[in-house]
Amino acid sequence: MEKIVFITGATSGFGEACAIRFAEAGYDTIITGRRKDRLEKLQQTIEEKFDVNVLPLAFDVSNRQETFKSINEIPENWRHIHILINNAGLALGRDFFDEADIDEWDTMLDTNVKGLLYVSKAILPFMIAQGKGHIINLGSVAAKEVYERGNVYCASKFAVEAISRSMRIDLLRHHIKVTAIHPGAAETEFSLVRFKGDAAQAESVYQGFKPLTANDVAEVIYYCTTVPDHVCINDLVICPAQQASAIYFHKE
Ligand code: NDP
Ligand code: 8X3
């Protein structure tokens, strides 16, 4: 296998769009997420459309044992992973700090922060052995600014920002590039998850402006992997044209 990409959270949104974009570019693709049925469907879609191989791995990134077991069992011929896209993540709730649910805080920190750490730590030996690699971490505009009732989601993304910067320093000696991508509002299943299936509330987030699509973000992520070997895009914020920051929108 020539080029291999490993994507977390490929059952929906950015991860799914990245799987398709990288497959289109000829990458053999390791797709992961908890929903096995969706992974199988995506595998079928990709294999029908593109001449690449797909390896689906169903596991929960917040479960340390499951994550290491799944990654350690990757067959030998799939271990030359060039690109890791740490994308799996979620927000739960949009509540004032004093009213927020502690279990939801735990889930966000366990997934967005600890999950990203576990996956990276498990994949790194493969990249170090080949003396090369590229890790792409999904932050957010919420990694740059906190907003009202964003508390722990923002904290989890500030952590992704700090981890990305630390990784970039510590992995220099292994020739592993680290790119942090920080999207603004994108219409995926993100808000449906945040508002626990309340479709009306989820849709209201994107009213009055044109949000990013998953494909917009996947295209930019793919671009970051096409620059020459001696170039690294360290940090990239991508927003809808009607969004200036985590807080300021021009809605019509
Ligand atoms: P989606 O809800 O569409 O996709 C989230 C993906 O993460 C799903 O594939 C889901 O898979 C996976 N996931 C969630 N929890 C776990 C877990 N415990 N273990 C394994 N996989 C998990 O959201 P997006 O595509 O929008 O979000 C992707 C990333 O981008 C997230 O990190 C999010 O915080 C970030 N982001 C999103 C923005 C937006 O506006 N949409 C803006 C900025 C950043 P499954 O449920 O099958 O496990
Ligand atoms: C997702 C975008 O604005 O809901 O990270 O935090 S936002």
Side-chain angles (χ1 to χ4, degrees), residues 62-100:
S62 69
N63 183 318
R64 179 170 161 177
Q65 273 187 325
E66 237 183 66
T67 299
F68 277 88
K69 187 170 183 294
S70 300
I71 294 174
N72 288 337
E73 284 175 1
I74 291 176
E76 194 61 45
N77 58 332
W78 277 96
R79 291 183 174 204
H80 302 291
I81 294 163
H82 299 87
I83 298 167
L84 161 62
I85 305 179
N86 274 318
N87 162 76
L90 78 174
L92 286 174
R94 186 78 205 266
D95 302 299
F96 288 110
F97 188 93
D98 52 304
E99 293 170 357

Side-chain angles (χ1 to χ4, degrees), residues 9 11-14 34-35 60-61 87 139 153 157 183-184 186 188-189:
T11 56
S12 169
F14 303 159
R34 289 166 301 181
R35 286 168 290 181
D60 179 341
V61 295
N87 162 76
Y153 177 68
K157 292 299 183 177
T188 59
E189 292 180 13

Side-chain angles (χ1 to χ4, degrees), residues 14 91 94 139-143 145 147 150 153-154 157 183-186 190-191 194 205-206 243 245-247 249:
F14 303 159
R94 186 78 205 266
S140 167
V141 287
E145 285 169 296
Y147 52 81
Y153 177 68
C154 296
K157 292 299 183 177
F190 176 83
S191 290
R194 180 174 227 172
V205 172
Y206 309 106
Q243 180 179 12
S245 73
I247 301 151
F249 289 80

Side-chain angles (χ1 to χ4, degrees), residues 52-152:
V52 297
N53 302 296
V54 179
L55 178 66
L57 294 180
F59 66 92
D60 179 341
V61 295
S62 69
N63 183 318
R64 179 170 161 177
Q65 273 187 325
E66 237 183 66
T67 299
F68 277 88
K69 187 170 183 294
S70 300
I71 294 174
N72 288 337
E73 284 175 1
I74 291 176
E76 194 61 45
N77 58 332
W78 277 96
R79 291 183 174 204
H80 302 291
I81 294 163
H82 299 87
I83 298 167
L84 161 62
I85 305 179
N86 274 318
N87 162 76
L90 78 174
L92 286 174
R94 186 78 205 266
D95 302 299
F96 288 110
F97 188 93
D98 52 304
E99 293 170 357
D101 183 302
I102 296 182
D103 289 335
E104 293 184 349
W105 283 356
D106 281 345
T107 304
M108 287 189 276
L109 292 169
D110 287 348
T111 310
N112 301 356
V113 183
K114 290 164 80 177
L116 181 147
L117 292 172
Y118 299 154
V119 172
S120 304
K121 200 76 162 72
I123 298 280
L124 268 169
F126 304 149
M127 288 188 172
I128 290 170
Q130 69 204 12
K132 196 178 167 179
H134 192 169
I135 298 177
I136 296 179
N137 294 329
L138 264 293
S140 167
V141 287
K144 303 286 183 184
E145 285 169 296
V146 287
Y147 52 81
E148 188 179 74
R149 294 175 290 125
N151 45 69
V152 171

